[in-house]
Amino acid sequence: MKVEVLESAKCALKKKFNGKNVVVIDVLRATTVMVTALENGASCIYPFKEIDEAKEKWRAKKMDF
């Protein structure tokens, strides 16, 4: 698994998200990053409050992320 950390929403403007999984952890800027990700090719967004909730959902549904 390759993990890349973007330090701000501005950094997301330079990225392409087609075929990638994106995790956003920032309450104040999350919606800006989500909109930017969708604009750059993300097909959907799965919001979770806790990382363990995301992992559990992935295991249960075999979500592709």
Side-chain angles (χ1 to χ4, degrees), residues 17-58:
F17 296 99
N18 293 353
K20 294 184 180 180
N21 302 314
V22 179
V23 176
V24 177
I25 305 172
D26 188 331
V27 175
L28 299 176
R29 296 184 185 159
T31 54
T32 302
V33 174
M34 286 183 225
V35 169
T36 302
L38 290 168
E39 185 176 313
N40 285 293
S43 60
C44 59
I45 295 171
Y46 300 97
F48 295 99
K49 185 176 180 180
E50 302 289 338
I51 192 90
D52 288 336
E53 182 184 356
K55 289 178 181 178
E56 182 180 315
K57 188 73 166 184
W58 179 80

